[in-house]
Amino acid sequence: MLNANLILPWSLAENNETYSWRFKIIELDARVAQGDCFADLSSEITATIRGGVDDLNRHYADVCLTGELSLTCQRCLQAMPFTLNNSVRILFCSDEASADLIDDEDADVLVVGETADVREWIEDQLLTALPFAPMHESCDEDHLMQYRNDKHNPFSVLKNIKP
Ligand SMILES: [Zn+2]
């Protein structure tokens, strides 16, 4: 779990504050870390959050995630490199009614109170930023053959049973 993940969103925006966190995939919530998506859970992600107030006097935070990750190819099940570089603008609202009034395709709208848990933002954003079914452009043929053979062999599951 990340430490010190609570921020004061309104003062972050008013004061143009910037924060940065660096953490491993394995430190994130189970819904992110325990999927079969990552080949290497020790990969690190850097999250940078920069607050500001835009021309329409809306408070926001720009959340940027970067990192060199290793995903599991969904075709050959081998690791494949993935460069994460994803930015999202989050517009703050104090209640649902004012959130409903905002129609901005380029930003996410979020109802926030006095404090906000940025770890949740980061986890949500990471899940959105990852490819739905990551695949090599061309898989290593040897691994692919191996996988197909295993798949068509009804006894292949036995290999996974530990004595
Ligand atoms: Zn592959």
Side-chain angles (χ1 to χ4, degrees):
M1 292 294 148
L2 295 178
N3 295 320
N5 46 9
L6 282 185
I7 58 156
L8 303 170
W10 300 101
S11 79
L12 173 101
E14 298 257 332
N15 302 315
N16 298 311
E17 291 167 26
T18 300
Y19 294 103
S20 208
W21 291 266
R22 197 169 167 78
F23 52 87
K24 294 183 166 70
I25 300 287
I26 201 164
E27 295 170 284
L28 291 173
D29 189 83
R31 74 197 162 104
V32 182
Q34 287 181 5
D36 54 5
C37 179
F38 294 102
D40 182 3
L41 291 174
S42 65
S43 305
E44 287 193 323
I45 288 181
T46 301
T48 306
I49 295 184
R50 187 178 298 112
V53 180
D54 69 11
D55 295 343
L56 300 170
N57 201 30
R58 301 180 300 188
H59 293 61
Y60 68 84
D62 286 329
V63 183
C64 180
L65 304 183
T66 56
E68 295 300 328
L69 308 181
S70 181
L71 304 181
T72 305
C73 170
Q74 298 302 299
R75 189 159 44 203
C76 69
L77 300 183
Q78 299 302 304
M80 60 173 279
F82 178 74
T83 300
L84 176 71
N85 188 353
N86 180 271
S87 291
V88 168
R89 172 159 295 191
I90 298 176
L91 293 173
F92 300 149
C93 284
S94 51
D95 53 61
E96 293 286 349
S98 48
D100 287 345
L101 295 176
I102 296 180
D103 182 21
D104 192 327
E105 280 183 8
D106 299 324
D108 288 348
V109 180
L110 194 68
V111 176
V112 292
E114 265 179 53
T115 60
D117 184 348
V118 288
R119 186 169 55 92
E120 275 177 29
W121 300 358
I122 292 166
E123 285 163 354
D124 287 345
Q125 186 173 336
L126 179 59
L127 287 175
T128 324
L130 295 174
F132 176 65
M135 277 182 214
H136 291 113
E137 256 177 52
S138 64
C139 295
D140 186 318
E141 283 300 321
D142 292 344
H143 287 305
L144 207 53
M145 289 302 288
Q146 183 67 40
Y147 173 55
R148 287 195 179 131
N149 289 340
D150 283 355
K151 221 163 104 175
H152 292 130
N153 177 353
F155 298 107
S156 65
V157 289
L158 296 177
K159 285 197 307 193
N160 298 326
I161 298 173
K162 305 236 157 49

